[in-house]
Amino acid sequence: MASKLLHRITCTHHLTKLRPITTPSASRGFKSRAHPTVRPSTPIQQAVQTILDGVDERHLSRAERWEKNKENRVEQRVAYFAERGAADGSAPAAEELREDAKNNPYRGMDETVELALQLNIDPRKPGQALRGSMALPHGNGKTFNVAVFTDDMTIAQQALDRGAVAAGGASLIESIQTGNTSITSFQRTLASPEMMPQLSAVARLLGPRGLMPNPKLNTIVEQDNLLEALDKQMSGMSNYRTDRTGIIRMGVGKGSFGMDKLLDNIREMMNEIQSVKPESYGKGRKGQKGKVAKGTKYYLKAHLSSTQSRGSVLVDLKTVDPTSSFFMSDPQ
């Protein structure tokens, strides 16, 4: 009897070794559409801080690598210009290159911080394709070359004095047609309403590049407001537009801006997107065309990233929704 009991205990011990008891949560080591892994969201303040920490970490890492290999890189640059430098002597001399590397610190890249919003809209439906422009409180960190189309030569000269790369009326249009004024020399355009019929002659050149003045982008303004609009465009007006999936991507500043300026820009952007919310969005209920069903969400997802960040940070929607009591705050 004792030998049979000992045999059962031994067999049970072997089975326990072969088939260990696992908990239900540990037994499912796979992902599926029915059981997706929930990605945690982050309040907007923590998301911005995470992005800025990554920007600083990459900058320090590249600065260390530069200091470690500075001598080799400078000598490679000297050899390059010695072999392929301009024959007229316009290439920098070897001593000038060494002196520049010695006196000036490492010049890192100022990464752009971008906010991507997935909205519950279908741009193919009428009234749901959002497009516009806005001036962020601290700018977006970019400057643009602007061309001004106006038939008032006094305003055209004032625009050139303020920094416009090109300004004029019929003469400027003819210059673009002949190729004397390259359309790659400017990234934004402004025009008075009187100039729009004449711009049809260069619409095929400006349109594909997104340079055609548009009232939705506030680039068609009256003569008296052209100079004021020029200053705004040159300082970095931010344009936004939904893609075919209903996502808006817009740069909200540079990594060098810091936490407070980036949060101010994000607050202004979210208020703008909220102000242009269409009357109808989402799928709606059957038989109620053009009406929004109760509980339909306008914001679906929000992601924050930078130019060279690895992936993006999923932002808690409560902290970027202007209608939420936790708007631009930490819900904890």
Side-chain angles (χ1 to χ4, degrees):
M1 188 70 179
S3 61
K4 289 183 179 181
L5 182 60
L6 180 62
H7 177 70
R8 289 181 180 177
I9 294 174
T10 306
C11 292
T12 305
H13 177 69
H14 285 301
L15 288 174
T16 305
K17 280 188 175 182
L18 293 175
R19 297 182 180 180
I21 300 175
T22 57
T23 59
S25 60
S27 62
R28 183 176 59 84
F30 60 89
K31 300 177 183 178
S32 68
R33 293 182 180 179
H35 307 88
T37 301
V38 179
R39 184 180 176 185
S41 59
T42 307
I44 186 60
Q45 290 89 345
Q46 297 181 21
V48 173
Q49 189 60 54
T50 301
I51 294 297
L52 293 179
D53 291 343
V55 170
D56 294 338
E57 182 180 351
R58 286 188 292 275
H59 178 77
L60 292 176
S61 176
R62 289 168 186 150
E64 291 176 0
R65 290 201 303 269
W66 165 257
E67 292 296 332
K68 184 178 179 180
N69 304 315
K70 181 163 65 173
E71 294 183 2
N72 294 336
R73 294 187 178 185
V74 171
E75 292 305 321
Q76 290 176 2
R77 189 174 178 84
V78 170
Y80 174 83
F81 280 110
E83 180 182 356
R84 305 181 183 180
D88 57 357
S90 59
E95 292 301 325
E96 184 180 351
L97 292 172
R98 295 189 180 98
E99 193 69 18
D100 179 70
K102 180 180 178 180
N103 298 332
N104 297 323
Y106 169 73
R107 296 182 289 271
M109 176 183 181
D110 196 2
E111 300 183 29
T112 298
V113 180
E114 182 185 79
L115 180 63
L117 285 174
Q118 184 176 1
L119 305 178
N120 191 12
I121 60 177
D122 187 355
R124 296 171 298 180
K125 296 181 179 179
Q128 295 192 25
L130 304 184
R131 185 181 183 183
S133 64
M134 58 179 297
L136 296 174
H138 305 286
N140 55 16
K142 298 180 180 179
T143 56
F144 298 98
N145 295 329
V146 184
V148 179
F149 294 94
T150 175
D151 53 5
D152 189 332
M153 292 300 103
T154 303
I155 295 180
Q157 185 58 46
Q158 292 177 355
L160 291 174
D161 296 339
R162 291 201 180 196
V165 295
S171 59
L172 178 57
I173 295 175
E174 183 180 356
S175 179
I176 293 175
Q177 285 179 314
T178 58
N180 294 331
T181 300
S182 174
I183 57 176
T184 60
S185 61
F186 50 88
Q187 296 84 40
R188 300 283 175 88
T189 58
L190 288 171
S192 60
E194 297 80 12
M195 290 299 301
M196 292 307 297
Q198 301 182 45
L199 283 175
S200 60
V202 290
R204 290 187 177 182
L205 298 175
L206 301 180
R209 292 180 174 269
L211 297 176
M212 198 67 181
N214 192 315
K216 292 184 178 180
L217 300 179
N218 298 322
T219 51
I220 300 178
V221 293
E222 297 294 336
Q223 297 273 15
D224 299 337
N225 301 326
L226 269 177
L227 298 179
E228 181 182 356
L230 174 63
D231 294 337
K232 291 182 179 180
Q233 291 290 339
M234 291 178 58
S235 63
M237 284 283 289
S238 297
N239 297 334
Y240 62 87
R241 185 177 186 177
T242 51
D243 61 11
R244 60 181 181 179
T245 59
I247 297 177
I248 292 179
R249 299 177 179 88
M250 194 174 79
V252 293
K254 296 288 186 177
S256 58
F257 279 19
M259 170 77 77
D260 295 336
K261 290 184 178 181
L262 287 175
L263 289 177
D264 289 343
N265 285 350
I266 292 173
R267 180 183 292 106
E268 185 68 21
M269 174 186 172
M270 295 307 303
N271 287 329
E272 171 71 15
I273 301 301
Q274 181 67 28
S275 65
V276 296
K277 181 174 72 171
E279 296 180 359
S280 174
Y281 58 90
K283 293 183 178 181
R285 292 183 179 179
K286 188 175 181 181
Q288 294 184 351
K289 188 176 180 180
K291 296 183 179 180
V292 180
K294 186 177 180 180
T296 303
K297 296 181 179 179
Y298 179 48
Y299 304 101
L300 298 180
K301 286 183 181 180
H303 290 83
L304 196 69
S305 62
S306 62
T307 303
Q308 296 184 342
S309 62
R310 294 185 177 181
S312 59
V313 179
L314 180 62
V315 181
D316 188 355
L317 287 177
K318 296 192 299 291
T319 60
V320 291
D321 186 354
T323 62
S324 172
S325 57
F326 299 105
F327 180 52
M328 303 305 295
S329 63
D330 193 343
Q332 297 179 358

